[in-house]
Amino acid sequence: MINFNNIRLSFGDRVIFDDVSWMISPRSRIGLVGDNGAGKTTLLRAIAGGLELDGGSIDIVDRKNTTLGYLPQDLIELESLNILDFLKKRSGLAELEDAMKTCEERVSLCPADDPEHEALLKTYEKAVAAFQAKDGYAFEARARQVLHGFGFRDADFSKNCLEFSGGWKMRILLAVILLSRPDIMLLDEPTNHLDTESMEWLESYLRDYPGTLITVSHDRTFLDKITTSTAELSQGRITLYKGNYSYYLAEKEKRRLALLKEMESQKAEIRKIREFVERFRYKATKAAQVQSRVKMLEKIELIRAEGAEKTVRIHFPACPPSGRDAISVRGLSKAYGDNEVFSNVNFTVTRGEKIALVGMNGAGKSTLSRLLSRIEEPSAGDVHYGLHVKLSFFSQESAENLSYDRTILEDINSVPTRCNDQEKRNLLGAFLFSGDDIYKPVAVLSGGEKSRLALLKILMQDANLLILDEPTNHLDMKTKDIFQEALLDYSGTVILVSHDRYFLDRLVNRVIEIRDGQAFEYKGNYSYFIAKREEFLGGIGAAQSGKQAAVPIDNGRESKLQRKELRRLEAEERNRRAKIRSTLKKELDAVEQTITSLEEQKGAIEATLCTPDIYRDPEKLKTLRQELHSIDRELEQFYKDWDDLTLRMEALENPAGEDILSSPASDSISGAVQP
């Protein structure tokens, strides 16, 4: 489908592609990865034909009949049309409709006996066939489905494209590509402007996409779900991995270790050859062998393997503890004119909790984060900070508070912090400001660089409560991982708005969803929230399963009947867990007894094998060794069963441990845990 033939490209002294050859077969689903600046976006532009190469070529088989859809990372200004008309025009349907309408008018005016009449009919038939091939008659229904998937409402369909913000415009462009059904789809950071619900919808849509997909994304979950192979662009070369992003990480490390082992083996071989040459260099009878080994050394191509990647870690300054309740929210409401975002929200955040605020775009996550940080005033209710709470708040607007007359280092040095100079430089390096970059004026930084610098300044402050609104938007995967590890070690309280599902999943232990003007609580990580949200929304499914999914945070509007139903579900859940615990305890006791018995048998056999007389009876010796081997195998299996049962017992104390409970180690356990 796509052939790269020794492509070369450089920008000054910087090599982007160094004689890259690569063949992409039809229906491939490729994740393109690499460090920031490696050339991933440049490669997509080259495939799309928007870039002139220094050498080589990129050939697409049957190019005339192959359609290509390209979503750039940077916004392209849209036309002044309403959404549906814009989608029709960009999908090529508007042109076909015009052609059909023109043909119809000309046919109606042309007499049947006119020689041109038949030619017009043929032209019309071709236009209709092309319109049907693009599924034109069902286009509006498909367009509405895609737009709903991306969070647009029916009222938005008649709006002019220019009325929407940048993020929504990118969704419109992505909708154009999906509706065009191209043979090749090139997506550069498609999840950047999507909320988690829209991401999940897009993933579901792309699973059934039959064409070739190449995507660049910093969203690990998206890459894992969508791609089946990974291409790493590094130092001008492409390295291929036949698996998704998680496979790529594991396989890359495996290859590095294998190459390192091979390199050490080669070094040992070279050392032996050199020792032979030095030993017999002046011995005439060995001259031929010496010359042979000298030539062998000259022909050896040295293996070079990367060492283990240096692990960078950052730490927040030690923060003084706050009171037990860091934030208490009571009767919180917010409205902008007639638009009520949410009302009568109540919850408490305790010291050390790490909480995610989630919801569709426009639901009110960022609004709630601003109210919690007292950047905005609520329409009703109040936010109360606990004893000794010291707050730091980050949002995309934080970059506006930088000192544009200073350099990066000067701006960092202006922050009151406990960090010493070395710690400051470590933090700068972790956030991609290294070498002479730290002497750049803040005024010349890009939007992403300013956002990273603003986040870094906030993290240096002596705070025990962090409220972070989309802090990972301009971080690459490595920096996100470093930042995530720092937050995991952070002893303070974190309230986080983010669309990065992998980042949230490892970090948070409680999720608050803003939906339909209310707040809903999920006591678990992000995966638990996803699993339980639909169950809760279904209502009936949750009641039938006997599991409590989400608890609507008390806003004073639930009826006594609703509260009674929740108490009933909680009681059923406690009973269910008690039954499972009892069954697991019996299973665990039985396994422990069996292990004890087998270990005693093993000890007795080993004691017998230590006696000298046993070696006089080879037959008995053989039998005992076979028994010992059999016991070892049994013990290995029972040890695994014991580990599994112990994990299940621990999972009962953790609501997010349902997945462990639902994959039993034995049939008897499976029967015990079914609701």
Side-chain angles (χ1 to χ4, degrees):
M1 171 74 70
I2 307 174
N3 293 318
F4 293 71
N5 304 304
N6 303 104
I7 67 168
R8 300 188 308 280
L9 181 69
S10 297
F11 296 140
D13 296 334
R14 184 164 152 248
V15 177
I16 307 300
F17 311 132
D18 184 11
D19 273 330
V20 172
S21 292
W22 182 21
M23 186 180 74
I24 300 174
S25 58
R27 300 175 70 87
S28 295
R29 305 172 74 82
I30 299 167
L32 184 59
V33 302
D35 290 338
N36 278 5
K40 303 184 292 295
T41 293
T42 305
L43 186 63
L44 291 189
R45 287 178 56 209
I47 298 171
L51 187 72
E52 188 175 339
L53 298 167
D54 294 340
S57 64
I58 299 175
D59 301 324
I60 298 176
V61 177
D62 194 17
R63 184 66 184 94
K64 283 186 178 179
N65 298 313
T66 300
T67 54
L68 187 147
Y70 171 46
L71 178 76
Q73 188 172 348
D74 299 321
L75 178 65
I76 297 173
E77 197 53 61
L78 309 184
E79 297 176 58
S80 182
L81 295 168
N82 71 48
I83 294 181
L84 289 176
D85 287 344
F86 177 77
L87 294 179
K88 270 189 180 180
K89 183 175 180 179
R90 291 294 293 267
S91 300
L93 283 172
E95 188 179 350
L96 287 171
E97 278 186 333
D98 290 342
M100 287 165 58
K101 192 177 293 183
T102 301
C103 281
E104 286 170 0
E105 290 172 356
R106 293 182 64 187
V107 167
S108 67
L109 297 172
C110 185
D113 57 351
D114 190 317
E116 193 182 353
H117 188 272
E118 190 173 343
L120 285 170
L121 284 175
K122 285 183 179 177
T123 303
Y124 179 68
E125 286 172 3
K126 283 183 181 177
V128 170
F131 190 75
Q132 289 175 332
K134 285 180 173 285
D135 202 13
Y137 294 108
F139 177 82
E140 188 164 328
R142 290 195 298 114
R144 287 177 179 274
Q145 178 195 12
V146 170
L147 291 171
H148 282 143
F150 286 141
F152 289 91
R153 298 164 297 181
D154 288 341
D156 296 324
F157 299 161
S158 58
K159 287 183 180 179
N160 192 298
C161 291
L162 303 184
E163 293 180 38
F164 293 94
S165 65
W168 289 97
K169 286 177 180 176
M170 293 303 289
R171 294 183 188 214
I172 295 171
L173 282 177
L174 186 51
V176 168
I177 293 171
L178 298 187
L179 289 166
S180 300
R181 297 177 172 173
D183 300 307
I184 301 170
M185 200 182 288
L186 309 174
L187 305 179
D188 195 351
E189 298 291 356
T191 63
N192 262 7
H193 302 282
L194 301 182
D195 53 44
T196 51
E197 288 81 1
S198 298
M199 286 182 205
E200 288 155 18
W201 182 89
L202 177 62
E203 288 161 359
S204 175
Y205 189 97
L206 290 177
R207 280 191 202 104
D208 299 324
Y209 169 64
T212 300
L213 172 67
I214 306 172
T215 183
V216 173
S217 179
H218 285 150
D219 189 314
R220 185 178 304 201
T221 304
F222 179 78
L223 290 176
D224 273 350
K225 286 185 175 182
I226 295 303
T227 63
T228 55
S229 61
T230 302
E232 182 187 38
L233 180 58
S234 177
Q235 298 178 344
R237 301 281 181 176
I238 290 281
T239 307
L240 301 176
Y241 297 83
K242 293 182 179 179
N244 63 12
Y245 187 79
S246 291
Y247 172 87
Y248 149 74
L249 290 177
E251 182 64 18
K252 182 181 180 181
E253 180 62 12
K254 195 186 298 182
R255 290 185 192 184
R256 187 189 69 81
L257 292 174
L259 198 61
L260 202 59
K261 189 175 180 181
E262 196 176 339
M263 184 180 76
E264 293 302 323
S265 177
Q266 185 189 65
K267 282 182 179 177
E269 182 64 23
I270 290 171
R271 190 163 53 250
K272 283 171 62 178
I273 294 171
R274 283 176 175 163
E275 285 173 357
F276 181 91
V277 170
E278 289 301 318
R279 184 177 177 186
F280 298 109
R281 182 184 293 276
Y282 304 108
K283 195 165 185 178
T285 57
K286 297 284 187 178
Q289 292 98 316
V290 167
Q291 285 304 311
S292 172
R293 281 165 172 76
V294 169
K295 289 178 181 177
M296 193 184 299
L297 281 174
E298 290 171 354
K299 290 179 181 178
I300 289 176
E301 189 173 338
L302 293 178
I303 297 169
R304 301 192 183 280
E306 296 178 5
E309 193 169 304
K310 187 179 178 181
T311 303
V312 179
R313 292 184 67 87
I314 60 175
H315 299 279
F316 296 123
C319 60
S322 67
R324 184 181 179 279
D325 292 343
I327 291 186
S328 297
V329 174
R330 294 292 175 264
L332 200 65
S333 301
K334 184 64 179 178
Y336 298 99
D338 294 333
N339 178 27
E340 183 181 75
V341 183
F342 47 75
S343 65
N344 218 356
V345 170
N346 302 273
F347 62 87
T348 299
V349 179
T350 57
R351 180 183 58 239
E353 276 195 296
K354 294 180 173 62
I355 294 174
L357 301 180
V358 303
M360 295 184 67
N361 278 6
K365 307 181 297 295
S366 294
T367 300
L368 180 55
S369 71
R370 290 194 297 272
L371 295 178
L372 295 179
S373 58
R374 293 179 176 169
I375 299 296
E376 282 189 36
E377 291 296 320
S379 303
D382 68 280
V383 175
H384 178 72
Y385 292 164
L387 193 65
H388 303 310
V389 165
K390 298 180 75 174
L391 168 74
S392 280
F393 173 62
F394 172 83
S395 72
Q396 296 306 310
E397 291 74 33
S398 297
E400 298 172 5
N401 299 323
L402 299 173
S403 299
Y404 288 81
D405 57 336
R406 293 173 173 165
T407 66
I408 292 173
L409 185 59
E410 287 170 346
D411 205 20
I412 285 295
N413 284 334
S414 70
V415 179
T417 178
R418 300 184 188 185
C419 295
N420 58 37
D421 286 344
Q422 187 57 52
E423 287 170 335
K424 288 178 186 177
R425 288 179 180 270
N426 290 345
L427 285 166
L428 285 164
F431 278 75
L432 309 181
F433 297 111
S434 55
D436 291 339
D437 287 345
I438 64 175
Y439 302 111
K440 275 186 184 179
V442 172
V444 305
L445 299 181
S446 67
E449 289 172 325
K450 288 174 184 172
S451 184
R452 290 203 307 272
L453 181 59
L455 176 60
L456 177 53
K457 286 179 67 177
I458 283 166
L459 300 183
M460 289 172 59
Q461 294 172 12
D462 186 17
N464 52 28
L465 171 62
L466 299 177
I467 299 178
L468 308 174
D469 189 359
E470 297 292 356
T472 64
N473 268 7
H474 298 285
L475 305 183
D476 64 7
M477 287 192 181
K478 288 179 183 175
T479 308
K480 272 196 278 192
D481 288 344
I482 293 166
F483 180 41
Q484 187 184 61
E485 292 298 329
L487 284 176
L488 284 167
D489 292 339
Y490 177 61
S491 60
T493 307
V494 179
I495 299 174
L496 178 69
V497 177
S498 176
H499 290 153
D500 191 314
R501 294 162 291 176
Y502 178 82
F503 188 84
L504 290 178
D505 214 31
R506 285 191 63 210
L507 183 63
V508 304
N509 47 31
R510 183 176 162 203
V511 175
I512 294 176
E513 180 194 19
I514 309 299
R515 173 167 35 89
D516 300 329
Q518 295 186 57
F520 295 81
E521 181 181 28
Y522 300 79
K523 292 184 177 178
N525 64 2
Y526 186 80
S527 290
Y528 177 78
F529 155 67
I530 290 296
K532 299 306 177 188
R533 178 183 56 187
E534 290 304 320
E535 182 179 314
F536 178 69
L537 289 175
I540 296 173
Q544 287 176 342
S545 70
K547 297 178 185 177
Q548 181 185 348
V551 178
I553 298 173
D554 184 14
N555 59 14
R557 291 188 292 188
E558 289 85 358
S559 66
K560 290 182 179 179
L561 186 62
Q562 286 176 304
R563 290 194 288 273
K564 184 178 178 182
E565 177 65 11
L566 284 175
R567 286 196 295 272
R568 184 185 68 78
L569 289 175
E570 288 171 357
E572 286 183 5
E573 174 69 3
R574 286 194 298 274
N575 291 337
R576 184 181 72 88
R577 287 178 176 269
K579 288 177 183 177
I580 297 172
R581 187 182 291 104
S582 175
T583 303
L584 289 176
K585 183 70 168 60
K586 289 177 184 176
E587 289 283 338
L588 191 59
D589 288 344
V591 167
E592 287 176 346
Q593 288 175 11
T594 305
I595 288 173
T596 301
S597 175
L598 288 171
E599 286 177 340
E600 287 173 356
Q601 293 176 45
K602 180 180 178 180
I605 292 172
E606 287 174 339
T608 304
L609 290 173
C610 288
T611 59
D613 292 344
I614 192 66
Y615 294 95
R616 295 174 188 166
D617 189 345
E619 197 62 37
K620 187 175 180 181
L621 180 64
K622 181 181 177 182
T623 302
L624 287 173
R625 282 177 173 166
Q626 287 175 344
E627 286 180 18
L628 189 61
H629 183 61
S630 176
I631 288 171
D632 281 337
R633 280 187 310 198
E634 284 188 75
L635 276 171
E636 185 179 354
Q637 183 56 51
F638 278 106
Y639 286 146
K640 287 179 182 177
D641 291 347
W642 186 88
D643 286 341
D644 191 76
L645 287 162
T646 303
L647 281 173
R648 292 172 191 283
M649 291 288 284
E650 291 173 359
L652 284 171
E653 309 306 323
N654 176 15
E658 291 289 341
D659 290 342
I660 300 174
L661 291 172
S662 60
S663 53
S666 65
D667 290 338
S668 59
I669 297 172
S670 177
V673 300
Q674 295 303 313

